Amino acid sequence: MRKRKLRGSLYMDLEEELITTEEFERFRKNYLLKIREIEKQIITKQKTIEELTEKLKIRVVLFPILFLM
């Protein structure tokens, strides 16, 4: 969400001629790269959460008495 706001304000800066087209393109490219990087990190973290959740489910099934205390 924050990145979208930055990109939107970046476009406004271009419209108001506070930055050049070249600067806009460079910033836009950097924002998009950062967004992709963050999306990959999110996917990796989601997979880790799923793996840990599965491991925990297995432990609860195998050792239920430990989780009742």
Side-chain angles (χ1 to χ4, degrees):
M1 178 88 153
R2 184 172 154 240
K3 296 289 181 185
R4 287 187 184 134
K5 287 182 183 179
L6 285 173
R7 284 190 349 202
S9 66
L10 182 62
Y11 184 73
M12 288 173 48
D13 288 349
L14 177 64
E15 281 188 329
E16 295 173 10
E17 297 181 356
L18 298 174
I19 59 173
T20 65
T21 303
E22 293 81 20
E23 289 173 316
F24 172 81
E25 290 301 326
R26 188 175 70 245
F27 288 136
R28 182 178 169 274
K29 179 181 174 184
N30 289 336
Y31 287 154
L32 292 174
L33 289 172
K34 189 66 174 173
I35 289 169
R36 286 189 191 111
E37 179 183 316
I38 291 169
E39 288 172 342
K40 286 179 184 178
Q41 291 174 357
I42 289 170
I43 290 169
T44 300
K45 289 180 189 301
Q46 286 173 332
K47 288 179 182 178
T48 301
I49 289 170
E50 290 170 5
E51 290 170 4
L52 291 172
T53 301
E54 285 304 310
K55 287 180 181 179
L56 184 59
K57 285 178 184 178
I58 291 169
R59 287 185 181 172
V60 169
V61 169
L62 293 176
F63 308 103
I65 193 74
L66 296 175
F67 294 92
L68 295 176
M69 299 175 153

